[in-house]
Amino acid sequence: MEEVRLYSLPKLKYGYGDLVPHISEEQLTIHHDKHHQAYVTGANSILEKLDKARRENAELDMKSTLKELCFHIGGHLLHSKFWGNLAPAGKGGGTPGGRIGDEIVKEFGTFDRFKKEFSQAANSVEGSGWAALSVCMQTRRPIIMQIEKHNVNVYPSFKIIMVLDVWEHAYYIDYRNLRGKFVDAFWNIVDWGAVDARIVKALG
Ligand code: MN
């Protein structure tokens, strides 16, 4: 097998129209094919710039290069996680069982309390960013992250198991400025089976 040295856009595990009415076909298509693709392209072009500078032993502005690289890789990895924790309309949402259900109740008391905290984290991101449910590998506690851009406020080494993109590009076609409506809609299309598999993998 050839060694993987660059990023690629992952295929969705559902059709572009499968999240309707919560996310429209137009919104999902542009989000995946244009916005996510731009982060893949951006990350790869910086990796190629690094390769070239190393071959030619040329100078690089490391501060700006690494800042840009982190932003694009963060964008790519978070979008990849996001598509993976969504399910077709009618097949997702509800109250999770399994390990994820147990861990949520243990940490937050009730699923409703978790939902409220996560939604508030998503609704209050300043500008562009994400809400993410993660697991601290030292305390083994689920912790909500409020990520700004794609990479600010990320806890190093925490395992991210569920994300919600609240960049305007994620919802503006469908919900205009009403981010809260998009956040409410998200709960109908969470793939809890996928989130459960991620927490089992993280915690063993
Ligand atoms: Mn996005």
Side-chain angles (χ1 to χ4, degrees):
M1 208 170 113
E2 204 181 327
E3 204 184 345
V4 178
R5 301 281 291 169
L6 291 172
Y7 295 104
S8 56
L9 185 69
K11 282 196 166 52
L12 299 178
K13 60 184 183 176
Y14 33 76
Y16 288 104
D18 289 350
L19 308 185
V20 175
H22 310 293
I23 298 177
S24 69
E25 182 167 355
E26 184 188 9
Q27 180 75 74
L28 182 58
T29 304
I30 198 167
H31 195 181
H32 178 262
D33 292 8
K34 303 296 180 189
H35 292 285
H36 186 172
Q37 179 64 58
Y39 299 121
V40 172
T41 305
N44 287 341
S45 78
I46 298 158
L47 291 175
E48 283 164 347
K49 186 175 101 173
L50 285 165
D51 288 343
K52 185 168 182 281
R54 288 164 187 166
R55 273 196 312 274
E56 297 169 359
N57 200 21
E59 291 302 316
L60 275 175
D61 177 344
M62 289 310 288
K63 184 178 174 184
S64 68
T65 302
L66 296 179
K67 193 172 177 182
E68 210 186 339
L69 183 62
C70 179
F71 174 79
H72 282 99
I73 291 176
H76 167 55
L77 296 177
L78 287 174
H79 282 92
S80 301
K81 283 206 187 284
F82 185 45
W83 312 132
N85 62 235
L86 298 180
K91 292 181 181 167
T95 304
R99 181 74 177 276
I100 185 64
D102 293 346
E103 294 289 346
I104 283 173
V105 170
K106 192 169 146 194
E107 176 67 21
F108 298 92
T110 61
F111 175 67
D112 284 345
R113 174 73 200 187
F114 161 70
K115 203 172 150 180
K116 183 176 163 180
E117 289 190 19
F118 190 92
S119 294
Q120 284 182 357
N123 283 322
S124 64
V125 174
E126 279 181 357
S128 300
W130 300 74
L133 180 62
S134 66
V135 179
C136 170
M137 300 312 289
Q138 292 193 353
T139 60
R140 302 174 67 81
R141 291 178 70 148
I143 305 266
I144 296 170
M145 290 188 203
Q146 187 185 61
I147 301 171
E148 292 174 6
K149 298 196 278 185
H150 299 310
N151 50 346
V152 178
N153 295 345
V154 173
Y155 298 87
S157 85
F158 280 28
K159 301 285 185 203
I160 295 176
I161 60 172
M162 182 178 88
V163 291
L164 170 57
D165 187 344
V166 289
W167 280 57
E168 282 187 350
H169 73 220
Y171 61 84
Y172 214 80
I173 292 171
D174 292 343
Y175 299 95
R176 296 294 159 186
N177 58 318
L178 303 176
R179 185 194 288 180
K181 288 202 166 189
F182 172 60
V183 171
D184 289 344
F186 166 73
W187 296 110
N188 296 310
I189 46 171
V190 177
D191 183 345
W192 287 114
V195 179
D196 188 57
R198 286 174 183 169
I199 201 167
V200 167
K201 192 177 171 197
L203 293 178

